[in-house]
């Protein structure tokens, strides 16, 4: 789909790389992570609809079958629930499956295995078995993706004990979190965002992990804390930069926390920052209601009500399915401008 | 009205089959059947005390399938099942004391009181997984077979489920994948004609046998008399031979009748969902007693041997109850253990 590529190209934020070193695209960073994992551990295998086809899961699984063979990298039937269960059974007996999906929307067919089984086996058998399973999917946005090809369903899964959920926002994190997820002995969901995938960033070669369960400060500041992950976090950084660069506004300095993992949450980092700034805006690619925004808002309300100088604010999606057309879409999605307006209001 | 009749032919045709087994093997098959029956009866007799606070699904009337299947398995073979776990767990060699402790919600239960009667597990003997979600365990067992194939392991994966599980999509997704990859997995469908109160006729078209559907997915598939341990074992012997030699998955439908209600104790047919006479009819085809008679007629079992078995089992059961009741309860700390694996 050339339109999707064009879209991602046009929207992808150009970041100043945090470190010096080798520049790599987001896709190549993920591809490299999978190569390294396959190379390192014979128990790792990759499956998913089209992982060995010409589009190769947006390029993420490119060349993997050629290098590692069709026993370890294979196309699947369209059986999301069944194949997820098969991955659970394989993981319980010593393999480390990485099951790739184009879109999180398709994972809804696999909820029985994810929610009733993968996340609970270890608990239900009192620690006798574990489920080192990675489920990977890329959130879509725009050009008619609509209600069934753009859902960011992390909020639905946040409430499930036993799952881990990571949402990278940079090539460096995408590789490091993929490696960490494969190395983890629990079911880990990786939600990518299509609009992050054309980024290039500094990515060290070789194996490294981005620790699951720990956030990172992308900016340090005193006026406000902005917390979130994935594409919306990048929008928030653009928003803050736009305010800083605007002549009419006073300089607003923000703590920007990239959660990297949304379950388990890095509570300490969030609370420490909010206690310092007294203002918090939570952003998420998913629905605001009952999701990541709601959970973090509640965490703050419970733990540092006395520190707040302004009510907690959240920016997620309205309680509405995703529209398909671009006119409706512009009212639907958060943008850097919308985020900047809220930040200005909060810091006025 | 009698809706589901016994379609088998008893043990009359099985005299020749006796030659294939040693006396010890035959006696062991009988011992397993008897032991499961007695364990189930003892649970049933004490359930009203309300100390076993766990939903039970008794296998009385259906013992021959788990005994026939597990009889040809080694300790290394992996077995998975649904909510009706008791028979499979015991037939695979699961520890009786740990099972009773689990039923009594004790800390030393086989699942530390986190699973209950529907999640009896004993990894040491290959009792590898159970799910209380109908058909939920079927893909998981299939995945274990994928491991066996990918790592060239010698074990076979075997999964038990009821007739209703064959109405779930994940069932057929699993069969398709197992056939596609020629996985060493054996599917045991214990058809007892009911899903809770719902007869098979409400749920599946009468003209298509379950094992035929599996066959159409490319599996080696058979139906057997699920009250006849020798019939089950014979089908299983073929299936395991195929699995071990890389010939792919098999499906065995075993037909037997659940004498008790779906869950809990006693027969509930008076509630009207099935004819009480149907239960009585099936009780004539008791998997334990008909086999006992057959072995006795063929001079393999005698009254004193049987009595010795009864006495042994009685002692074992009393000791297991005693053990469970005197075991410690879990603590609040245990609640938080094993949410995540290290
Ligand atoms: C997905 C799902 N739907 C419904 C139930 C409720 N339920 C529990 S056991 C059962 C009967 C299943 O019948 P069958 O699979 O034939 O096994 P049986 O109980 O006869 O051994 C039902 C409907 C469930 N546990 N899981």
């Amino acid at each position: 789909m050339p339109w999707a590529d064009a879209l991602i190209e046009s929207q992808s934020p150009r970041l100043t790389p945090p470190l010096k070193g080798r520049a790599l695209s987001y896709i190549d960073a993920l591809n490299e992570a999978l190569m390294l994992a396959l190379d390192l551990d014979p128990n790792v295998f990759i499956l998913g609809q089209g992982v060995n086809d010409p589009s190769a899961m947006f390029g993420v699984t490119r060349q993997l079958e050629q290098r590692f063979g069709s026993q370890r990298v294979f196309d699947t039937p369209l059986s999301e629930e069944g194949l997820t269960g098969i991955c659970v059974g394989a993981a319980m007996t010593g393999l480390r499956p990485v099951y790739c999906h184009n879109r999180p929307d398709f994972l809804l067919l696999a909820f029985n295995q994810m929610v009733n089984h993968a996340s609970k086996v270890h608990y239900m058998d009192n620690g006798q078995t574990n489920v080192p399973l990675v489920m990977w999917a890329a959130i879509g946005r725009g050009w008619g993706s609509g209600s069934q090809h753009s859902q960011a369903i992390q909020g639905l899964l946040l409430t499930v004990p036993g799952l881990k959920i990571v949402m990278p926002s940079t090539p460096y994190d995408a590789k490091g979190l993929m490696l960490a997820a494969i190395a983890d002995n629990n079911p880990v969901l990786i939600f990518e965002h299509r609009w992050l995938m054309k980024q290039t960033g500094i990515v060290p070669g070789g194996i490294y992990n981005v620790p699951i369960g720990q956030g990172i400060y992308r900016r340090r500041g005193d006026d406000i804390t902005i917390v979130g992950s994935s594409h919306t976090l990048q929008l928030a950084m653009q928003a803050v930069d736009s305010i800083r660069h605007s002549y009419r506004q006073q300089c607003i300095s923000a703590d920007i926390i990239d959660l990297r993992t949304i379950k388990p949450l890095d509570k300490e980092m969030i609370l420490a920052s909010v206690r310092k700034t007294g203002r918090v805006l939570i952003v998420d690619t998913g629905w605001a209601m009952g999701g990541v925004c709601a959970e973090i808002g509640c965490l703050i309300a419970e733990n540092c009500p006395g520190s707040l100088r302004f009510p907690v604010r959240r920016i997620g999606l309205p309680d509405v399915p995703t529209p398909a057309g671009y006119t409706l879409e512009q009212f639907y999605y958060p943008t850097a401008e919308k985020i900047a307006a809220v930040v200005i209001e909060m810091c006025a | 009205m009698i809706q589901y009749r016994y379609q088998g032919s008893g043990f009359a045709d099985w005299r020749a089959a006796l030659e294939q087994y040693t006396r010890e093997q035959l006696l062991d098959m009988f011992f397993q059947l008897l032991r499961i029956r007695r364990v189930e009866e003892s649970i049933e007799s004490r359930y009203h005390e309300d100390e076993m606070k766990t939903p039970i699904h008794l296998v009385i009337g259906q013992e021959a399938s788990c005994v026939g299947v597990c009889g040809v398995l080694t300790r290394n073979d992996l077995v998975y099942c649904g909510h009706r776990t008791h028979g499979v767990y015991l037939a695979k060699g699961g520890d009786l004391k740990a099972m009773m402790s689990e039923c009594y919600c004790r800390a030393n239960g086989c699942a530390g009181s986190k699973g209950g009667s529907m999640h009896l597990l004993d990894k040491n003997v290959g009792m590898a997984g159970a799910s209380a979600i109908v058909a939920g365990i079927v893909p998981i067992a299939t995945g274990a077979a994928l491991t066996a194939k990918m790592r060239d392991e010698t074990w076979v994966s075997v999964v038990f489920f009821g007739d209703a599980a064959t109405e779930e999509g994940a069932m057929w997704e699993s069969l398709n994948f197992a056939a596609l990859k020629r996985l060493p997995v054996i599917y045991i469908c214990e058809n007892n004609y009911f899903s809770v109160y719902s007869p098979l006729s409400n749920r599946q078209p009468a003209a298509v046998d379950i094992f035929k559907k599996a066959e159409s997915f490319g599996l080696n598939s058979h139906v057997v008399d699920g009250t006849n341990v020798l019939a089950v074992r014979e089908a299983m012997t073929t299936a395991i031979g195929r699995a071990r030699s890389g010939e792919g998955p098999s499906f065995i439908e075993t037909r037997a009748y659940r004498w008790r209600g779906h869950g809990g104790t006693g027969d509930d047919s008076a509630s009207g969902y099935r004819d009480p006479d149907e239960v009585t009819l099936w009780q004539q085809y008791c998997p334990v007693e008909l086999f006992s008679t057959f072995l006795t007629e063929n001079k393999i079992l005698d009254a004193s041997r049987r009595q010795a078995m009864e006495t042994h089992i009685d002692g074992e059961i009393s000791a297991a109850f005693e053990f469970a009741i005197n075991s410690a309860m879990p603590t609040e700390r245990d609640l938080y253990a094993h949410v995540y694996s290290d």
Side-chain angles (χ1 to χ4, degrees):
Chain A
M1 283 184 287
W3 49 261
D5 289 344
L7 172 73
I8 293 153
E9 185 80 66
S10 66
Q11 297 288 336
S12 96
R14 307 251 181 277
L15 289 180
T16 333
L19 301 159
K20 286 200 164 58
R22 178 187 61 154
L24 209 61
S25 78
Y26 198 103
I27 301 280
D28 288 344
L30 281 167
N31 183 249
E32 187 171 88
L34 295 177
M35 291 261 184
L36 287 164
L38 284 162
D39 210 30
L40 182 75
D41 183 352
N43 293 313
V44 173
F45 70 101
I46 318 282
L47 70 168
Q49 286 159 34
V51 293
N52 58 354
D53 74 11
S55 68
M57 211 45 78
F58 317 112
V60 169
T61 56
R62 197 166 45 224
Q63 289 298 316
L64 297 183
E65 188 197 17
Q66 286 85 336
R67 282 197 49 184
F68 297 95
S70 57
Q71 293 288 311
R72 295 184 65 201
V73 181
F74 58 86
D75 193 12
T76 65
L78 278 81
S79 306
E80 287 80 1
E81 182 190 349
L83 262 302
T84 306
I86 286 165
C87 287
V88 173
M92 285 167 70
T93 45
L95 297 183
R96 305 187 90 83
V98 181
Y99 187 13
C100 302
H101 299 263
N102 274 285
R103 290 283 181 269
D105 310 65
F106 312 149
L107 290 178
L108 293 166
L109 280 79
F111 261 39
N112 178 34
Q113 285 301 330
M114 287 162 56
V115 180
N116 279 327
H117 297 89
S119 59
K120 297 184 170 66
V121 163
H122 182 68
Y123 190 79
M124 287 195 302
D125 72 11
N126 206 28
Q128 291 184 61
T129 14
N130 51 29
V131 184
L133 161 65
V134 177
M135 304 272 287
W136 183 95
I139 299 164
R141 173 171 165 172
W143 262 271
S145 294
S147 296
Q148 298 172 331
H149 278 70
S150 66
Q151 294 176 87
I153 61 170
Q154 62 271 21
L156 298 180
L157 291 158
L158 202 59
T159 184
V160 180
L163 284 184
K164 295 186 178 183
I165 308 173
V166 303
M167 300 192 65
S169 71
T170 68
Y172 176 90
D173 284 10
K175 177 177 168 184
L177 284 168
M178 174 62 87
L179 286 166
I182 295 173
D184 203 283
N185 284 327
N186 297 280
V188 183
L189 287 153
I190 304 178
F191 288 120
E192 305 286 359
H193 196 288
R194 281 295 280 135
W195 286 20
L196 294 172
M197 286 186 164
K198 276 288 169 76
Q199 284 180 75
T200 297
I202 299 302
V203 180
I207 291 188
Y208 64 88
N209 283 357
V210 168
I212 292 177
Q214 290 177 28
I216 184 172
Y217 286 108
R218 298 291 184 198
R219 301 265 193 285
R220 296 309 307 257
D222 298 315
D223 300 324
I224 184 169
T225 299
I226 302 178
V227 49
S229 63
S230 186
H231 179 245
T232 327
L233 201 270
Q234 300 252 326
L235 294 178
M237 290 204 286
Q238 289 171 26
V240 169
D241 289 346
S242 76
I243 298 167
R244 228 184 355 217
H245 297 142
S246 147
Y247 291 119
R248 271 175 297 217
Q249 293 300 331
Q250 280 202 328
C251 213
I252 290 174
S253 80
D255 259 357
I256 302 188
I257 297 174
D258 187 341
L259 291 168
R260 290 174 154 176
T261 303
I262 59 165
K263 186 182 179 78
L265 269 178
D266 191 343
K267 294 179 186 166
E268 293 316 311
M269 180 178 264
I270 299 169
L271 295 176
S273 175
V274 174
R275 287 191 182 111
K276 180 185 74 177
T277 63
R279 297 186 183 92
V280 62
L281 169 64
I282 309 144
V283 297
D284 188 44
T285 53
W287 293 284
M289 182 178 167
V292 179
C293 294
E295 178 57 32
I296 295 174
C298 184
L299 177 77
I300 292 161
E302 280 179 339
N303 289 281
C304 38
S307 313
L308 291 177
R309 293 191 276 162
F310 197 91
V312 173
R313 290 291 297 269
R314 57 181 158 162
I315 296 183
L317 301 176
D319 194 6
V320 170
T322 315
Y326 63 86
T327 308
L328 291 174
E329 210 173 59
Q330 72 188 353
F331 309 125
Y332 185 70
Y333 279 114
T335 59
E337 295 72 38
K338 289 186 200 172
I339 296 172
V342 173
V343 172
I344 290 166
E345 181 199 335
M346 291 178 76
C347 296
Chain B
M1 195 191 74
I2 309 291
Q3 199 178 357
Y4 299 109
R5 287 182 190 279
Y6 174 69
Q7 296 159 318
S9 51
F11 284 93
D13 304 333
W14 290 87
R15 204 168 295 266
L18 289 178
E19 308 298 317
Q20 296 164 24
Y21 302 108
T22 64
R23 168 176 292 263
E24 277 60 46
Q25 282 176 318
L26 291 162
L27 287 171
D28 183 59
M29 280 183 237
F30 177 69
F31 177 78
Q32 299 292 338
L33 292 168
L34 185 67
R35 181 167 178 261
I36 293 168
R37 173 66 59 88
R38 295 291 177 254
V39 168
E40 293 292 66
E41 287 170 346
S42 66
I43 290 173
E44 187 174 35
S45 72
R46 297 189 68 163
Y47 200 60
H48 70 277
E49 294 168 4
D50 202 22
E51 293 296 325
M52 283 177 266
K53 295 182 191 295
T54 187
I56 52 168
H57 302 84
L58 301 175
V59 300
I60 296 177
Q62 302 180 234
E63 296 91 342
S65 74
C66 55
V67 173
V69 166
C70 293
V72 299
L73 300 179
T74 70
R75 198 185 169 94
N76 286 337
D77 292 316
L78 299 185
V79 164
Y80 297 82
C81 67
H83 53 282
R84 208 169 289 283
T85 49
H86 302 186
V88 181
Y89 174 91
L90 292 171
K92 189 65 174 61
D95 182 62
L96 178 61
K97 287 181 174 162
M99 167 179 169
M100 292 320 304
S101 272
E102 192 62 30
C103 290
Y104 276 89
C105 311
R106 297 307 205 263
N108 60 357
C110 59
S113 192
K114 288 173 173 157
S117 133
M118 296 193 284
H119 298 276
L120 300 179
L121 296 160
D122 191 337
K123 275 198 84 176
N124 293 327
V125 296
M127 183 62 212
S131 173
I133 302 296
V134 169
I137 202 68
V138 176
I140 292 176
T142 310
L146 179 65
T147 301
K149 171 140 194 202
M150 285 179 70
R151 295 216 300 213
D152 235 347
E153 305 275 3
T154 54
W155 41 263
V156 169
S157 174
V158 179
V159 57
F160 291 79
F161 49 88
D163 42 286
T166 69
E167 288 141 33
E168 296 284 1
M171 177 84 221
W172 304 104
E173 295 181 357
S174 301
L175 295 195
N176 177 58
F177 189 78
L180 176 75
K181 303 279 179 190
R182 293 174 81 84
L183 299 182
V185 53
I186 301 170
Y187 299 93
I188 309 293
C189 176
E190 299 185 283
N191 180 0
N192 61 16
Y193 306 98
F194 288 90
S195 165
V196 192
Y197 296 123
S198 166
L200 192 55
S201 58
N202 281 7
R203 296 176 282 116
Q204 299 189 26
V208 197
D209 287 323
I210 292 172
F211 80 99
K212 283 282 178 198
K213 298 180 203 184
E215 190 176 72
S216 78
F217 271 68
L219 282 83
N220 167 55
S221 188
H222 296 279
V223 61
V224 295
D225 177 355
T227 69
N228 183 331
V229 68
L230 295 177
V232 175
R233 189 160 168 146
E234 183 186 73
M236 187 62 190
T237 304
T238 310
I240 199 109
R242 293 177 62 94
R244 293 209 201 284
S245 60
E247 288 170 85
S250 296
F251 189 101
I252 302 172
E253 178 185 344
T254 66
R255 293 186 187 160
Y257 201 78
R258 147 165 82 62
W259 292 10
R260 300 297 192 257
H262 164 73
T265 63
D267 173 27
D268 57 355
S269 49
S271 66
Y273 75 100
R274 65 181 185 186
D275 189 334
D277 289 344
E278 191 172 278
V279 184
T280 323
L281 199 66
W282 276 90
Q283 285 173 344
Q284 294 170 26
Y285 306 101
C286 173
V288 185
E289 293 309 331
L290 285 195
F291 192 53
S292 172
T293 307
F294 180 61
L295 292 184
T296 308
E297 282 167 4
N298 287 282
K299 313 248 176 308
I300 289 160
L301 183 66
D302 60 26
S304 75
R305 187 73 184 240
R306 163 124 191 203
Q307 192 45 52
M309 286 185 188
E310 297 274 14
T311 310
H312 177 87
I313 292 168
D314 260 8
E316 217 192 340
I317 291 173
S318 312
F321 273 94
E322 183 80 12
F323 174 84
I325 290 163
N326 293 315
S327 291
M329 292 294 180
T331 64
E332 190 170 352
R333 263 177 71 115
D334 297 325
L335 174 70
Y336 296 96
H338 306 304
V339 176
Y340 290 114
S341 171
D342 295 336

